[in-house]
Amino acid sequence: MDTPQRRLAETAEAFFLAAETSLTDEATAAAYRTTLTLVQLMLDGSRAQDLVGEAEHQHLTGMVNGLRDAPDHL
């Protein structure tokens, strides 16, 4: 089924395939999710320091969450 989540997952997977790996590999997916958790920590810190506004933080968090779920849509 063609959904925005599926298209995002396919885009992310294309980047990994170009690097000769795949988000369908459990270890790769785990490292990918860990990295995105670190990115979220950075965004949360930026929000806490008022470096980004609430609306921007919510938008970026939604994008990170969409990326984090990418392996589930492959």
Side-chain angles (χ1 to χ4, degrees), residues 41-70:
L41 180 67
M42 178 190 67
L43 292 174
D44 293 347
S46 294
R47 177 65 194 121
Q49 294 178 19
D50 288 321
L51 299 173
V52 297
E54 183 60 31
E56 293 84 4
H57 180 263
Q58 287 182 11
H59 179 77
L60 292 169
T61 293
M63 293 173 71
V64 169
N65 288 338
L67 284 170
R68 184 180 292 117
D69 293 342

Side-chain angles (χ1 to χ4, degrees), residues 31-41 64 66-69:
Y32 171 78
R33 286 184 171 116
T34 298
T35 301
L36 287 171
T37 298
L38 182 58
V39 169
Q40 186 62 53
L41 180 67
V64 169
L67 284 170
R68 184 180 292 117
D69 293 342

Side-chain angles (χ1 to χ4, degrees), residues 2-26:
D2 186 37
T3 64
Q5 295 84 0
R6 177 69 184 193
R7 288 192 302 275
L8 180 59
E10 289 171 349
T11 298
E13 178 68 350
F15 276 82
F16 279 81
L17 290 173
E20 299 182 3
T21 190
S22 174
L23 289 174
T24 62
D25 175 74
E26 289 184 32

